Amino acid sequence: MTAIPLGVPRRLVEFTVDGQEARVPEGSTILDACRAAGKDVPTLCQGDTLTPKNACRVCVVEVEGARTLVPACSRRAEAGMEVRTDTERARHSRRLVLELLASSVDLSTTPKAAEWIKEYEAKPDRFGPDAARLNEEPKVDNDLYVRDYDKCILCYKCVDACGDQWQNTFAISVAGRGFDARIAVEHDAPLTDSACVYCGNCIEVCPTGALSFKSEFDMRAAGTWDESAQTGTTTVCAYCGVGCNLTLHVQDNEIVKVTSPHDNPVTHGNLCIKGRFGYQHVQNRD
C-alpha cells in the first residue's frame, strides 16, 4: 500500500459564525467554515475542484465591519472575523438573486433550487411574463452530450474546466456582452466542428443541467429519468493504466451516466472521453 504524504501543517484561524466559535485551517474560505459548522449556505457557481468565480452571488454573507455583503465561496476566513449567515440583509440579497435567476433561466434541473426558492420566499413571477429569457432549443449535435443554454446561469465553470484549470482545450468561451453574453464554442459552430475533445469535464461541473449526458437528456424527455432509483458504484477505469476512478450510475440494470469522485487524488473529478462515455461495451450483449 502506497503511503500518502502528509500536507504542510496549517495554523488554525479562530473567528465566529452566527455567534458560534469556529476554527478552520489558514487559507480556508468562509464557506468552508460554514459547511464545517453545519450551516446551509446556498451556492451555485462554487465548485470544489475549481477556483471561485464569484459569479452567482447566492452565497453572500454579512461580515462585521464590511461595507458590502461578501461571497462566502471566495472570502478567506480571518482571525477575529464576525460572520453572520442568516441576517435579513443576506436573505434579501439571496432572495433577489434567486428571483432574477429563476425568472430568466430554467432551474428545473438545478439541485436544491426549488428548496431555496421556497426557503427564501422568492417570487420570480413578480417580474411578469416579459422577463428576458433565451428561449433557445437544446443543441443536440452529437451522440454524447447536450447543451441546453436555457438552463445556463453563466457561472463560467465549464469555461474554467475546459480551459487552464483542467483540460487546457479551450473549446468553450463566453461570446457576446451584457445581456447577449452566452457560453459558446468558437464561431458558435456545432460541437463536432469545434476543438472539443469530449472529455465531459464541463458536464461534471455544470450546476444546473445546462450540460448533460445525451442518455440523461433522452430519459428526461421520455419521463424515465429517476435519480432516486439509481445506484452509484465506484470502480477503476479499465482503458489504460492511469487508474482513474469512475462512479457508474445505474438505473434498471443499465449504466445511464458516469462521473468521477472529486476527492480522488488521480482524477479530481476529471476523465477523458473513454472513461466518461465509453461504457456501452459493458452492457452490450453482442
Side-chain angles (χ1 to χ4, degrees), residues 170-217:
F170 300 97
I172 308 174
S173 62
V174 180
R177 304 179 67 180
F179 286 109
D180 294 325
R182 53 199 296 245
I183 303 298
V185 299
E186 58 265 33
H187 308 298
D188 202 22
L191 209 61
T192 49
D193 296 334
S194 73
C196 178
V197 296
Y198 299 98
C199 63
N201 295 330
C202 55
I203 306 174
E204 185 75 36
V205 299
C206 180
T208 63
L211 304 173
S212 65
F213 278 75
K214 179 69 160 52
S215 54
E216 178 180 344
F217 178 82

Side-chain angles (χ1 to χ4, degrees), residues 6-280:
L6 295 175
V8 178
R10 293 184 293 172
R11 69 188 183 100
L12 295 178
V13 175
E14 297 184 3
F15 61 107
T16 62
V17 177
D18 292 336
Q20 301 177 358
E21 291 186 2
R23 302 175 71 199
V24 294
E26 189 176 35
S28 299
T29 64
I30 293 175
L31 184 61
D32 294 332
C34 290
R35 287 177 171 173
K39 304 289 184 181
D40 184 21
V41 176
T43 181
L44 287 171
C45 72
Q46 186 266 345
D48 55 359
T49 63
L50 298 168
T51 301
K53 207 72 172 183
N54 307 326
C56 75
R57 297 284 164 161
V58 178
C59 71
V60 291
V61 295
E62 198 163 354
V63 175
E64 183 68 27
R67 180 176 59 85
T68 61
L69 295 172
V70 302
C73 68
S74 62
R75 179 67 181 267
R76 302 294 181 184
E78 300 173 9
M81 179 181 281
E82 295 182 24
V83 178
R84 293 190 292 274
T85 67
D86 201 37
T87 63
E88 179 53 36
R89 186 184 180 195
R91 292 183 64 87
H92 176 78
S93 178
R94 293 175 192 165
R95 178 165 58 248
L96 183 58
V97 169
L98 288 169
E99 287 177 341
L100 290 170
L101 285 176
S103 66
S104 60
V105 176
D106 177 8
L107 298 181
S108 61
T109 56
T110 302
K112 301 189 73 173
E115 297 176 29
W116 293 333
I117 288 174
K118 181 178 180 181
E119 177 184 352
Y120 291 98
E121 300 178 344
K123 296 178 174 59
D125 294 340
R126 73 185 181 90
F127 294 108
D130 296 327
R133 300 184 72 96
L134 191 59
N135 292 324
E136 182 177 307
E137 290 296 316
K139 293 181 180 292
V140 187
D141 52 16
N142 67 92
D143 295 330
L144 300 182
Y145 73 93
V146 175
R147 297 174 290 162
D148 187 354
Y149 291 141
D150 253 11
K151 298 178 179 178
C152 177
I153 62 169
L154 291 175
C155 67
Y156 308 110
K157 291 171 74 173
C158 59
V159 177
D160 290 339
C162 186
D164 58 1
Q165 291 195 34
W166 285 117
Q167 191 61 28
N168 285 293
T169 298
F170 300 97
I172 308 174
S173 62
V174 180
R177 304 179 67 180
F179 286 109
D180 294 325
R182 53 199 296 245
I183 303 298
V185 299
E186 58 265 33
H187 308 298
D188 202 22
L191 209 61
T192 49
D193 296 334
S194 73
C196 178
V197 296
Y198 299 98
C199 63
N201 295 330
C202 55
I203 306 174
E204 185 75 36
V205 299
C206 180
T208 63
L211 304 173
S212 65
F213 278 75
K214 179 69 160 52
S215 54
E216 178 180 344
F217 178 82
D218 291 341
M219 291 178 70
R220 285 187 183 276
T224 58
W225 181 262
D226 184 4
E227 290 189 10
S228 64
Q230 295 173 13
T231 58
T233 302
T234 300
T235 183
V236 179
C237 182
Y239 276 106
C240 73
V242 172
C244 299
N245 276 196
L246 311 178
T247 299
L248 307 178
H249 298 257
V250 177
Q251 180 178 329
D252 297 329
N253 208 32
E254 294 284 339
I255 300 173
V256 292
K257 72 175 184 179
V258 176
T259 60
S260 181
H262 288 197
D263 59 356
N264 181 266
V266 176
T267 61
H268 298 287
N270 298 292
L271 293 170
C272 71
I273 182 174
K274 293 180 179 179
R276 183 88 59 190
F277 297 107
Y279 56 82
Q280 289 81 1

